[in-house]
Amino acid sequence: MDKSNKIIVGISVGDINGIGIEVILKTFEDKRMLDFCTPVLFASNKVISYHKKALKLNNSINGIPSIDKVVHGKINVVNAWKEDVKFDIGKLTEAGGKCALMSLQSAVEALKENKVDILVTAPINKENIQSEEFNFPGHTEYLESELDGESLMILMTENLRIGLISGHIPISKVPETITPELIKAKVEVMHATLMSDFNISKPKIAVLGLNPHCGDNGVIGTEDDEIIRPTIKEIQETGKLVYGPYAADGFFGSKTYEQFDGVLAMYHDQGLAPFKALSFGNGVNFTAGLNKVRTSPDHGTAFDIAGKKKANHLSFQEALFSSLSIHKNRIEYQNLTKNSLKI
């Protein structure tokens, strides 16, 4: 492969006291990974070296003064901060949140300036990262504020993609949040991403209901009959293959999800609980709908096992491979459609 054509992957390291740096380094312990891409970690040489030594890993780290000095075939590290940082592995600390934010900000800036091609984010802690500069419930909302487009959180494996119509909000706010406009907008993003990012020409999408048994004809709530069902019918009239609402328990229990290219859940746990039960820790979080590609592993900082060399890196590895595949598919789709004839 021509090294100049390698995809440059920007990687934010997440909370420095969690398992983020461990799963990154473990992923690139296999030097063959450097044949697929060129990684750039936004952290500091001291932090990466500390984790490498503590975990007894054998990665070769290449510190660079700026992203412009990236070296292909190496694990590049750009200093996102210069000051010394106190480590407290496995603990929630102010320093951990501060460094996580600086890493993310530096990586996103490089992404916006096209100095990296895609972004893979290691886990943050949503409590200690909060500040005047980061007042968001998670990565997805922050990235939507920084990049172009309307985001859709999709949790995915090879054969299952679950998007969330409502994201990181209290369960008490879900019913009032679910509107025809929101459902239509999220269906549109899911439909577009299945076509452009996954090479599916006629996507088939399932929409889950809100209430148990989709309300049982109004006995357990009216939202399914009054809001969701009529909205799906309107969407179908545009020619999209969108079906539902489906009761979530039976939908996953009977493996009906296998008949669809994408699934839209009404709220966070309705989609993520079955997804994580089915994915066995190999899932990927993909932020669809934005003008840049971002993925992450589907787990958190895991402070309880941080620094013990117990972290499973497969979800991060899958996030990396998924970002590379989506990036390539998106470029191919854009090239195929940019001069298409209008009918």
Side-chain angles (χ1 to χ4, degrees):
M1 178 186 289
D2 181 356
K3 289 184 177 181
S4 64
N5 291 329
K6 278 190 180 178
I7 297 173
I8 300 177
V9 183
I11 300 175
S12 60
V13 298
D15 195 301
I16 59 172
N17 293 319
I19 64 169
I21 295 175
E22 178 178 343
V23 297
I24 294 167
L25 293 178
K26 281 182 174 179
T27 294
F28 288 103
E29 263 198 311
D30 185 342
K31 293 182 180 179
R32 292 174 298 178
M33 295 297 296
L34 298 174
D35 294 332
F36 298 104
C37 65
T38 298
V40 180
L41 281 57
F42 292 85
S44 78
N45 290 317
K46 288 183 179 180
V47 167
I48 301 300
S49 296
Y50 176 90
H51 278 267
K52 174 188 165 184
K53 183 177 180 181
L55 295 165
K56 298 179 181 179
L57 298 174
N58 297 314
N59 307 78
S60 178
I61 305 301
N62 181 55
I64 54 176
S66 68
I67 190 68
D68 302 313
K69 303 297 183 181
V70 65
V71 177
H72 296 288
K74 301 284 187 180
I75 304 172
N76 297 273
V77 179
V78 174
N79 286 324
W81 60 85
K82 295 180 180 179
E83 62 269 26
D84 289 333
V85 176
K86 180 182 178 182
F87 292 97
D88 206 345
I89 303 298
K91 300 292 180 63
L92 180 72
T93 68
E94 182 180 348
K98 182 180 178 182
C99 290
L101 179 55
M102 287 189 288
S103 175
L104 179 60
Q105 288 174 325
S106 298
V108 170
E109 192 62 29
L111 186 69
K112 290 163 66 174
E113 294 177 354
N114 297 316
K115 292 182 178 180
V116 299
D117 299 304
I118 54 182
L119 173 65
V120 182
T121 60
I124 59 173
N125 181 281
K126 294 170 185 175
E127 179 183 346
N128 67 356
I129 198 173
Q130 297 298 320
S131 66
E132 291 183 2
E133 298 174 272
F134 190 100
N135 185 22
F136 302 93
H139 275 115
T140 303
E141 295 81 4
Y142 172 77
L143 291 168
E144 186 175 52
S145 74
E146 290 289 325
L147 302 172
D148 295 332
E150 181 176 343
S151 70
L152 172 67
M153 181 191 294
I154 295 180
L155 275 292
M156 52 182 268
T157 60
E158 185 176 354
N159 299 313
L160 177 61
R161 305 175 191 91
I162 302 179
L164 304 181
I165 288 182
S166 64
H168 293 118
I169 62 173
I171 194 71
S172 60
K173 300 288 186 183
V174 171
E176 65 189 58
T177 301
I178 302 300
T179 63
E181 293 74 23
L182 181 62
I183 296 171
K184 290 176 184 177
K186 297 303 182 182
V187 167
E188 186 63 35
V189 177
M190 174 65 88
H191 187 269
T193 197
L194 289 172
M195 291 182 66
S196 66
D197 299 336
F198 297 96
N199 280 341
I200 301 171
S201 58
K202 293 285 287 184
K204 189 178 178 183
I205 299 170
V207 178
L208 302 182
L210 175 63
N211 297 297
H213 312 296
C214 295
D216 269 344
N217 296 316
V219 176
I220 319 176
T222 61
E223 291 89 351
D224 294 274
D225 289 333
E226 294 179 357
I227 297 174
I228 300 171
R229 205 179 303 276
T231 303
I232 291 173
K233 186 176 180 181
E234 283 187 46
I235 295 170
Q236 290 173 337
E237 290 172 355
T238 68
K240 291 184 174 67
L241 304 179
V242 180
Y243 303 93
Y246 294 94
D249 54 353
F251 182 83
F252 290 105
S254 64
K255 297 187 178 181
T256 304
Y257 62 86
E258 294 179 351
Q259 302 172 22
F260 294 90
D261 301 303
V263 180
L264 283 168
M266 287 294 145
Y267 55 93
H268 187 277
D269 284 13
Q270 184 189 51
L272 267 63
F275 175 83
K276 291 192 176 184
L278 293 166
S279 69
F280 299 102
N282 295 324
V284 174
N285 183 346
F286 166 46
T287 306
L290 301 181
N291 64 320
K292 300 289 186 179
V293 176
R294 173 262 176 171
T295 62
S296 75
D298 70 346
H299 57 72
T301 53
F303 287 137
D304 57 320
I305 61 169
K308 300 177 182 178
K309 210 175 181 177
K310 293 182 178 180
N312 188 334
H313 69 286
L314 291 181
S315 182
F316 185 89
Q317 181 176 288
E318 284 300 316
L320 178 62
F321 279 132
S322 295
S323 67
L324 295 172
S325 175
I326 290 168
H327 177 71
K328 292 174 182 177
N329 288 343
R330 187 175 290 190
I331 291 174
E332 181 181 347
Y333 181 81
Q334 290 170 349
N335 289 336
L336 288 171
T337 58
K338 64 182 178 183
N339 294 317
S340 59
L341 295 174
K342 293 184 178 180
I343 298 176

